[in-house]
Amino acid sequence: MKASFEGFLFILLAGGPSRAYTRQDFDALDEDFKFLMDLFWSNGDGLPADLIDKLSITVKGILPLFRTNSESLIEQLKRGVDQDSYDFSSRSSRLPLPPTPGRWSPDEPNTLLRVLCYRNDEVATKFLKKTYNLPKKP
C-alpha cells in the first residue's frame, strides 16, 4: 500500500512532460486516490482503516495543491525557498532551484515547484519561464 501511494504521488509530481493538470482536475485526482484507498480497505475485509489513514497523510496533504490557484502556489514557493540564498534587492527575478528532498510534502518548495511545472495555465507558465527559464508548455 505504501508503495502504491508513493507511486501515485510519483505520477503526479514526476510523471514526465506529457502530464499537465488544471485546477479542475483536482476532483478527478481526489476521486482516483479515494478509489485507491478503497482498494486496500475492501469494504472492511482489507487493511485496517487507521493504517490506511496513517499512510495516506502525505497524499492527502499534497492533493489540495492541485486545486490551489497558481498565484498562491507561487507565493508559497517564494516563502519556502531559502531566503538566505536569494538577494531580494537585486533586479533579478530568479529564485534558486529548491533541492530535491527525500520525501514530498505540501509545504516543501520542491513539491510546490513540481505542482507548478505540471500546471496547465498561463500564470504558472510565465512564472516558470521568467524565474527558471523553463520552456513554455506545448
Side-chain angles (χ1 to χ4, degrees):
M1 174 176 56
K2 182 178 177 184
S4 295
F5 291 175
E6 289 173 357
F8 184 82
L9 279 179
F10 185 82
I11 290 168
L12 294 179
L13 299 172
S18 64
R19 299 241 173 237
Y21 303 103
T22 65
R23 290 177 57 204
Q24 291 73 28
D25 292 328
F26 167 78
D27 290 332
L29 297 173
D30 190 50
E31 184 178 29
D32 286 347
F33 187 63
K34 286 177 182 171
F35 286 142
L36 183 60
M37 290 190 316
D38 286 346
L39 177 73
F40 291 103
W41 185 63
S42 296
N43 292 322
D45 291 332
L47 296 172
D50 59 332
L51 177 63
I52 296 169
D53 288 340
K54 178 182 173 186
L55 293 176
S56 66
I57 289 173
T58 301
V59 179
K60 288 179 179 178
I62 290 173
L63 274 177
L65 296 175
F66 285 88
R67 73 170 173 226
T68 304
N69 67 53
S70 294
E71 293 87 351
S72 295
L73 291 173
I74 291 167
E75 288 306 312
Q76 289 176 35
L77 174 62
K78 287 178 179 179
R79 284 192 306 269
V81 169
D82 183 6
Q83 302 300 321
D84 295 334
S85 63
Y86 181 63
D87 180 7
F88 285 98
S89 65
S90 76
R91 293 182 182 215
S92 172
S93 59
R94 303 263 183 206
L95 289 173
L97 266 172
T100 303
R103 297 219 170 258
W104 286 308
S105 169
D107 55 356
E108 199 281 316
N110 187 275
T111 303
L112 296 167
L113 180 60
R114 287 175 179 267
V115 171
L116 285 167
C117 285
Y118 290 108
R119 179 61 57 91
N120 189 14
D121 74 20
E122 194 65 27
V123 172
T125 300
K126 284 182 179 180
F127 170 78
L128 294 169
K129 176 67 176 160
K130 180 180 175 185
T131 308
Y132 295 109
N133 201 30
L134 295 175
K136 290 189 175 191
K137 292 175 184 69

